[in-house]
Amino acid sequence: MTTQPTDAALQDALKLHREGKRDLAMQRYVAILQQNPTHVEALYYVAVLTVQEGQLPEGLRVTQRALEVSTPGPAQAPLVAKLHNLMGQTYLRLNQDKAALESFGRAIASDPTFVDAYGNRGTLLAEMGKPAEALADFDRAIALRANNAEDVSNRAGVLADLGLHGERTGHRQHAGNRFEHLQTAHAAAIRAPDMLCCEFHFSARAERRDRDQFARARAQQFTSRPFRQQAMI
């Protein structure tokens, strides 16, 4: 009997979240959870907002709580996958790559059609020096979402690591043609209710790039490694 009011309250909170009114959005999420402490989607967005605010350990705690109260089965499988993906992104920001890799794997196991988990795991595998495994993930991501500039560009970088330069050239050119579309898509993504963590993931990747910039300059063999810029949550 309370589903419709709860859904309306969640949409109201998401609207505030999209508008950047995070304090108000958090108040609305908390109000929902006061009525239903096991509302998995509200917990998920609390975790997203918490991570966006840089409170990474707390974000992990809330994400874990959401996973604990989620219902096994196909109905919540996409949301469970998003929770694992968020956990992986948070671990990335904490430089816990092994835990991030495991989380992305759980996201894929929960929902084998969740394209961004493949892209995230592929990027991490490439950064870990496993280009063949990364290539398989990028191939799967492109199969699920054809012509995505980010996945195509990242795949081209992995092909370079594997020495497949001819195929790489075509993929780089195609990715370049779609880069402006990617930027436009990201601008829209940070306003969309199901892509709220895109903003966070751009930030997390930027931080990792900044920390690694000097090392990469001294090790040119890593310059072709892909860096994921976007992930749906």
Side-chain angles (χ1 to χ4, degrees):
M1 299 294 292
T2 60
T3 300
Q4 290 183 350
T6 300
D7 288 346
L10 182 62
Q11 291 305 312
D12 183 46
L14 288 173
K15 181 176 183 295
L16 293 168
H17 200 157
R18 290 196 303 268
E19 293 171 351
K21 301 173 181 177
R22 293 180 178 177
D23 288 344
L24 290 175
M26 182 63 83
Q27 292 175 18
R28 303 298 173 85
Y29 294 140
V30 170
I32 293 170
L33 291 169
Q34 286 175 339
Q35 295 183 15
N36 180 5
T38 62
H39 193 294
V40 180
E41 195 167 5
L43 283 167
Y44 164 70
Y45 283 113
V46 168
V48 169
L49 196 156
T50 302
V51 170
Q52 286 178 324
E53 293 293 317
Q55 301 175 39
L56 306 184
E58 179 65 11
L60 287 174
R61 188 191 69 78
V62 177
T63 305
Q64 184 60 46
R65 172 60 179 164
L67 287 168
E68 290 170 356
V69 300
S70 62
T71 303
Q76 285 198 346
L79 181 55
V80 169
K82 290 165 68 174
L83 285 161
H84 283 301
N85 191 59
L86 175 60
M87 186 166 282
Q89 291 173 312
T90 308
Y91 279 129
L92 274 180
R93 197 162 179 175
L94 291 167
N95 288 321
Q96 297 182 33
D97 288 357
K98 182 180 178 181
L101 191 65
E102 293 172 352
S103 292
F104 294 139
R106 293 189 188 101
I108 291 167
S110 298
D111 181 3
T113 67
F114 186 32
V115 61
D116 286 296
Y118 288 101
N120 286 333
R121 189 174 69 175
T123 297
L124 182 53
L125 286 167
E127 292 174 356
M128 295 171 72
K130 300 179 179 180
E133 295 177 49
L135 182 63
D137 274 347
F138 289 133
D139 283 343
R140 182 57 178 157
I142 292 169
L144 289 168
R145 181 175 59 196
N147 299 325
N148 178 266
E150 188 181 359
D151 292 322
V152 170
S153 179
N154 284 344
R155 184 179 187 274
V158 171
L159 289 172
D161 283 349
L162 293 170
L164 302 176
H165 298 287
E167 188 176 351
R168 175 198 180 198
T169 300
H171 279 273
R172 285 291 189 194
Q173 182 177 2
H174 180 67
N177 292 338
R178 293 181 59 83
F179 183 72
E180 183 176 349
H181 172 73
L182 176 63
Q183 290 179 310
T184 302
H186 170 252
I190 62 174
R191 297 189 297 271
D194 288 331
M195 299 177 73
L196 286 170
C197 215
C198 289
E199 179 185 8
F200 150 66
H201 199 62
F202 263 75
S203 174
R205 275 295 175 207
E207 289 180 10
R208 288 172 66 85
R209 285 196 299 268
D210 289 343
R211 285 195 298 268
D212 295 339
Q213 184 177 13
F214 181 69
R216 291 200 311 276
R218 296 178 60 187
Q220 292 299 318
Q221 67 268 31
F222 293 109
T223 57
S224 63
R225 292 279 165 80
F227 288 88
R228 189 148 185 84
Q229 296 179 327
Q230 172 177 329
M232 289 177 61
I233 298 300

